[in-house]
């Protein structure tokens, strides 16, 4: 566990006075309302550690690390009140390189550990860093239940569609037919779509971004940080050793604008080099690509990330394919629902009001007990 060389160690007193910024949920609070702020200006250097960053040269993790370290000073939070929890995998080295508190935990169990931390410490901003193998294979059950419960934590899911740390086996997001050391004749497994999975689990904040697009990545992180409840951000991340150029079409200047659909709440869903293409909702509830010049502007779908009905967000998540015909990025869903933490604290306060504060020592010494001398 790595500590922070921060100033002060103040913790929240449980009051609902807001320290955070950004749009609040229906409760009147953001995820950062109870997290103590610093009165000292922070920079990227404040979030770097003295640890040598040990990823393969050219790994997309470097870009994500730099983006996170550059973005966190904007929040103005005390570094000792920020925690990164990781599982096992290349991405899980992340806590070593963040000058905050951190926990390099167990394979697939980061959401469970982070749940305990977030529910017991409302004065912390809790982040989970995981990979497609860590989160969606051994950790799949923990992931979906964190999303279902709407625990106040942020999950960064690095998706490179391969197992990198264990040297290139296919992962739960690898495409059918993927040839790897563990599937020499091609994978037979149909891959998970992390965005569809998260929306299906009733995730209240679900987004996708790309390691190489720093501006977009940081804009999504800003929105996720303020969200009260679980925020899942899938980050397409290149593994240049075992799955190089897996997302190259989305980075190729010649084709990326024609296949990348940038979602912005409240705006028509258009794309293309000249915004000449658009999405139109079909009678069956899915989407189809149309030419803007050929349709009435009223027919063009408008993105509504705040719609409580997840059907539109789910339909958008189904647009991408292994061939990357069309890939939406941005915030698919951002809706209000009380977080598990809020509900739990309210229930505990009600119990105290009805039954008193309680005495743990008396409880342990009551009932069917005996003493051995």
């Amino acid at each position: 566990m790595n500590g922070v060389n921060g100033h002060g160690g103040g913790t929240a007193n449980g009051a609902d006075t807001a320290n955070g910024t950004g749009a609040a949920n229906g409760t009147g609070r953001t995820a950062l309302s109870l997290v103590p702020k610093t009165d000292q200006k922070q920079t990227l250097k404040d979030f770097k550690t003295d640890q040598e960053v040990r990823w393969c040269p050219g790994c997309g993790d470097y870009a994500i690390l730099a983006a996170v370290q550059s973005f966190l000073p904007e929040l103005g939070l005390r570094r000792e009140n920020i925690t990164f929890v990781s599982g096992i995998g290349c991405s899980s080295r992340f806590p070593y390189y963040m000058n905050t508190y951190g926990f390099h935990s167990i394979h697939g169990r980061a959401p469970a550990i982070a749940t305990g931390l977030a529910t017991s410490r409302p004065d912390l901003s809790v982040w989970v860093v995981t990979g497609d193998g860590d989160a969606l294979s051994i950790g799949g059950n923990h992931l979906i239940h964190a999303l279902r419960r709407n625990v106040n934590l942020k999950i960064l899911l690095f998706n490179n569609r391969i197992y990198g740390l264990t040297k290139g086996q296919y992962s739960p997001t690898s495409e059918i037919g993927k040839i790897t050391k563990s599937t020499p004749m091609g994978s037979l497994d149909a891959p998970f779509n992390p965005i569809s999975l998260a929306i299906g689990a009733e995730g209240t904040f679900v987004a996708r971004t790309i390691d190489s697009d720093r501006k977009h990545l940081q804009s999504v992180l800003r929105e996720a940080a303020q969200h009260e409840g679980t925020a899942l951000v899938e980050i397409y991340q290149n593994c240049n050793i075992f799955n190089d150029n897996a997302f190259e079409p989305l980075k190729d200047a010649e084709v990326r604008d024609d296949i990348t659909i940038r979602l912005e709440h409240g705006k028509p869903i258009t794309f293309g080099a000249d915004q000449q293409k658009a999405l139109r909702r079909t009678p069956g509830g899915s989407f189809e690509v149309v030419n803007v010049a050929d349709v009435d502007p009223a027919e063009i779908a408008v993105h509504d990330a705040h719609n409580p009905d997840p059907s539109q967000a789910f339909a958008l998540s189904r647009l991408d394919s292994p061939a990357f015909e069309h890939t939406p990025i941005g915030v698919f869903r951002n809706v209000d629902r009380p977080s598990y933490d809020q509900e739990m604290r309210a229930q505990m306060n009600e119990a105290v009001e009805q039954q008193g504060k309680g005495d743990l020592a008396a409880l342990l010494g009551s009932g069917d007990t005996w003493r051995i001398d």
Side-chain angles (χ1 to χ4, degrees):
M1 191 166 184
N2 68 301
V4 63
N5 297 321
H7 299 278
T11 58
N13 58 14
D16 285 350
T17 53
N19 293 324
T21 58
N25 274 29
T27 58
R29 290 204 304 250
T30 72
L32 304 179
S33 294
L34 301 180
V35 183
K37 305 275 280 189
T38 180
D39 56 2
Q40 299 183 3
K41 184 178 179 179
Q42 297 172 330
T43 67
L44 178 151
K45 291 183 179 179
D46 292 313
F47 288 91
K48 288 186 174 182
T49 70
D50 59 358
Q51 299 296 299
E52 177 188 359
V53 182
R54 300 186 65 184
W55 287 310
C56 301
C59 176
D61 289 357
Y62 285 98
I64 302 172
L65 175 64
V68 173
Q69 290 173 330
S70 299
F71 142 77
L72 283 178
E74 298 178 15
L75 301 181
L77 305 177
R78 293 183 181 182
R79 288 176 293 142
E80 59 268 35
N81 290 88
I82 302 173
T83 303
F84 283 85
V85 182
S86 66
I88 297 297
C90 295
S91 63
S92 296
R93 295 179 181 272
F94 213 86
Y96 295 103
Y97 310 138
M98 296 299 303
N99 195 19
T100 63
Y101 278 102
F103 199 118
H104 192 172
S105 70
I106 311 168
H107 201 7
R109 272 64 175 184
I113 293 170
T115 293
L117 187 60
T119 53
S120 62
R121 290 287 303 273
D123 61 318
L124 297 182
S125 177
V126 181
W127 297 73
V128 170
V129 178
T130 184
D132 47 307
D134 185 58
L136 298 172
S137 185
I138 190 171
N141 213 37
H142 296 289
L143 178 71
I144 61 173
H145 289 298
L147 290 161
R148 176 179 66 87
R149 294 184 179 113
N150 201 34
V151 182
N152 191 20
L153 51 87
K154 319 306 156 200
I155 302 173
L156 305 184
L157 196 164
F158 295 18
N159 183 6
N160 55 25
R161 295 186 165 176
I162 203 76
Y163 276 104
L165 186 66
T166 50
K167 306 300 183 289
Q169 299 88 347
Y170 81 108
S171 84
T173 56
S174 296
E175 64 272 21
I176 294 176
K178 184 73 173 180
I179 295 175
T180 71
K181 295 176 181 178
S182 57
T183 54
M185 297 179 67
S187 168
L188 301 176
D189 291 356
F192 272 131
N193 180 321
I195 300 298
S196 298
L197 182 71
I199 295 171
E202 293 291 341
T204 53
F205 185 102
V206 183
R208 175 190 287 144
T209 185
I210 307 173
D211 59 1
S212 59
D213 191 338
R214 183 164 176 166
K215 182 178 179 181
H216 188 269
L217 171 56
Q218 290 185 324
S219 71
V220 171
L221 292 177
R222 288 187 191 97
E223 202 166 344
Q226 302 292 348
H227 181 73
E228 177 74 22
T230 305
L232 181 131
V233 179
E234 179 190 22
I235 306 175
Y236 282 162
Q237 175 260 328
N238 191 50
C239 175
N240 59 314
I241 302 299
F242 297 109
N243 201 23
D244 197 19
N245 296 323
F247 305 102
E248 189 59 26
L250 301 178
K251 303 176 183 183
D252 186 339
E254 294 185 3
V255 299
R256 66 187 178 197
D257 292 334
D258 290 326
I259 62 174
T260 304
I261 302 172
R262 294 177 177 268
L263 302 174
E264 296 184 64
H265 173 70
K267 294 187 178 182
I269 307 176
T270 60
F271 62 103
D274 299 313
Q275 299 298 298
Q276 75 277 17
K277 298 180 181 180
L279 293 184
R280 178 172 62 184
R281 202 78 188 264
T282 68
S286 59
F287 288 96
E288 61 182 355
V289 176
V290 296
N291 293 318
V292 172
D294 297 336
V295 298
D296 187 315
E299 297 181 58
I300 298 175
V302 175
H303 183 46
D304 184 6
H306 299 166
N307 191 341
D309 181 356
S311 61
Q312 185 189 60
F314 188 84
L316 287 169
S317 76
R318 307 308 299 170
L319 288 175
D320 62 325
S321 68
F324 294 101
E325 184 176 353
H326 296 99
T327 300
I329 64 172
V331 178
F332 289 73
R333 193 167 195 243
N334 182 4
V335 298
D336 291 344
R337 179 155 60 88
S339 69
Y340 185 86
D341 320 50
Q342 295 174 19
E343 301 286 80
M344 186 189 76
R345 287 193 293 272
Q347 193 175 74
M348 291 175 66
N349 290 337
E350 182 180 354
V352 170
E353 289 178 4
Q354 293 177 354
Q355 304 177 41
K357 192 173 182 180
D359 186 332
L360 180 61
L363 176 65
L364 294 175
S366 64
D368 188 11
T369 64
W370 62 92
R371 178 174 177 174
I372 301 176
D373 295 321

